[in-house]
Amino acid sequence: MKKDTQQLKSYKVLLIGDSCEDVYSYGSINRKAFEDRPVSSGVSILNVSHIVEKPGMAKNVLKNLSALGHDIDFITNPEIIRKERFVDTDKNNKSILRVDYNDNVKPMVLSELSNIDLSVYDCIVISDYDKGFISEQIISTIISSYDGKIFVDSKKKNLKKYENCIIKINEYENERVEEFPDNYELVITLGSRGARWNNKNFKPAICEKVIDICGAGDTFFASFIICYLHTNDFSTAIKIANQCAASVLKHIGNHYVSITEFNLMLESIA
């Protein structure tokens, strides 16, 4: 018999990061255009059947944290970054092209932090997609002003400023990092091979059919944070995060794990 698990409490979280709007244009390709003659191959034409818009990057982390029932204060770029994906429904929803608009934004204004009492938060989450919003000055100010847990997901090559943080990056990002902090914890997601922490590999949860990997990293990050706050245990948090990430692979576009699903996962490994 599984032992009882303590009821998941609601945490107060400050989330800071670059965000975007994800746009999915779905359709089929059944003909080509030959405006570029004499090019014999022609250009494929996607006949769009429907368009879906979803929040992306830090906004996706926000949705994942909120779906788990937590109180989130969110600071993000006012400019709109737009990522448009064109998806061929006849080829198992394969993405054939992505177009990015307004991919760089202005840095966060330091005064936004001066008006916030950081001590009221159970943790601070930084979703750093390296689009310009999270500056080194902002990072240094947060690190020096906050005594609690700071969770970071960053695409920066230089992570030196993230001292004493819990950092989550994927395998490709890890290979590109030029400098790490002196003191930190590192969780590396390995895609279909699971995740790694402290030289220990964690097998992925089973997903019989992968529909779309978009947003799985954000779901892993958000669920890892909440489970770690709940258990104070890296191994348990990574196992739960792997399960949550696997659950979103079955859906097209960003998907969010519910409180009920999350609690069932906690009970399954208790």
Side-chain angles (χ1 to χ4, degrees):
M1 179 182 292
K2 296 182 178 64
K3 61 185 178 182
D4 292 336
T5 56
Q6 183 181 356
Q7 186 173 0
L8 186 66
K9 65 171 285 190
S10 178
Y11 297 103
K12 187 169 181 61
V13 178
L14 175 62
L15 170 63
I16 303 172
D18 322 75
S19 63
C20 74
E21 299 298 328
D22 283 327
V23 182
Y24 298 83
S25 296
Y26 295 95
S28 58
I29 297 175
N30 50 35
R31 63 192 179 97
K32 294 185 176 183
F34 296 92
E35 291 95 337
D36 297 332
R37 290 179 180 176
V39 177
S40 58
S41 60
V43 178
S44 297
I45 299 173
L46 181 71
N47 293 304
V48 176
S49 59
H50 64 287
I51 297 173
V52 176
E53 296 189 19
K54 294 191 174 185
M57 299 197 308
K59 284 184 179 179
N60 188 35
V61 178
L62 171 66
K63 287 290 186 179
N64 277 277
L65 291 170
S66 299
L68 293 174
H70 303 284
D71 181 11
I72 318 297
D73 288 338
F74 184 40
I75 304 175
T76 191
N77 44 284
E79 307 97 325
I80 297 176
I81 297 175
R82 182 181 174 93
K83 296 181 180 294
E84 187 167 2
R85 295 171 175 84
F86 296 89
V87 183
D88 188 349
T89 55
D90 291 339
K91 293 185 177 180
N92 294 318
N93 293 309
K94 180 181 179 181
S95 182
I96 57 175
L97 179 67
R98 193 182 90 181
V99 181
D100 292 356
Y101 303 89
N102 196 28
D103 206 37
N104 292 286
V105 297
K106 295 178 182 179
M108 176 182 170
V109 179
L110 191 60
S111 60
E112 289 187 75
L113 280 179
S114 62
N115 297 323
I116 298 175
D117 180 6
L118 299 181
S119 67
V120 304
Y121 297 101
D122 293 300
C123 74
I124 294 177
V125 178
I126 300 176
S127 181
D128 180 7
Y129 274 78
D130 199 23
K131 301 301 182 183
F133 189 66
I134 307 295
S135 66
E136 289 192 354
Q137 185 182 32
I138 290 295
I139 298 168
S140 296
T141 301
I142 293 172
I143 300 297
S144 62
S145 305
Y146 184 69
D147 295 329
K149 296 293 184 184
I150 300 175
F151 297 87
V152 175
D153 187 358
S154 179
K155 295 189 180 298
K156 282 184 169 61
K157 292 182 180 180
N158 188 338
L159 301 178
K160 182 68 175 177
K161 293 289 185 179
Y162 287 118
E163 193 70 27
N164 296 313
C165 294
I166 299 173
I167 301 171
K168 191 286 294 183
I169 53 180
N170 63 36
E171 191 172 24
Y172 171 70
E173 292 160 353
N174 182 57
E175 292 172 353
R176 295 173 72 243
V177 172
E178 297 170 353
E179 192 169 8
F180 282 102
D182 294 326
N183 298 292
Y184 64 103
E185 292 284 355
L186 180 64
V187 177
I188 304 172
T189 55
L190 307 174
S192 61
R193 304 194 324 278
R196 183 187 304 128
W197 167 74
N198 200 24
N199 293 319
K200 180 180 179 181
N201 289 336
F202 295 81
K203 294 181 179 180
I206 296 174
C207 180
E208 294 180 358
K209 185 177 182 180
V210 176
I211 301 297
D212 189 354
I213 65 171
C214 184
D218 293 330
T219 298
F220 180 102
F221 186 43
S223 54
F224 168 81
I225 291 166
I226 298 307
C227 190
Y228 182 81
L229 291 175
H230 180 63
T231 65
N232 198 36
D233 182 79
F234 275 95
S235 294
T236 301
I238 292 171
K239 290 174 184 177
I240 292 295
N242 272 338
Q243 290 188 42
C244 291
S247 73
V248 306
L249 297 176
K250 306 171 187 177
H251 303 269
I252 297 174
N254 299 333
H255 180 73
Y256 318 114
V257 176
S258 69
I259 299 174
T260 301
E261 290 176 286
F262 190 85
N263 285 333
L264 288 173
M265 292 176 191
L266 277 174
E267 291 175 5
S268 71
I269 65 172

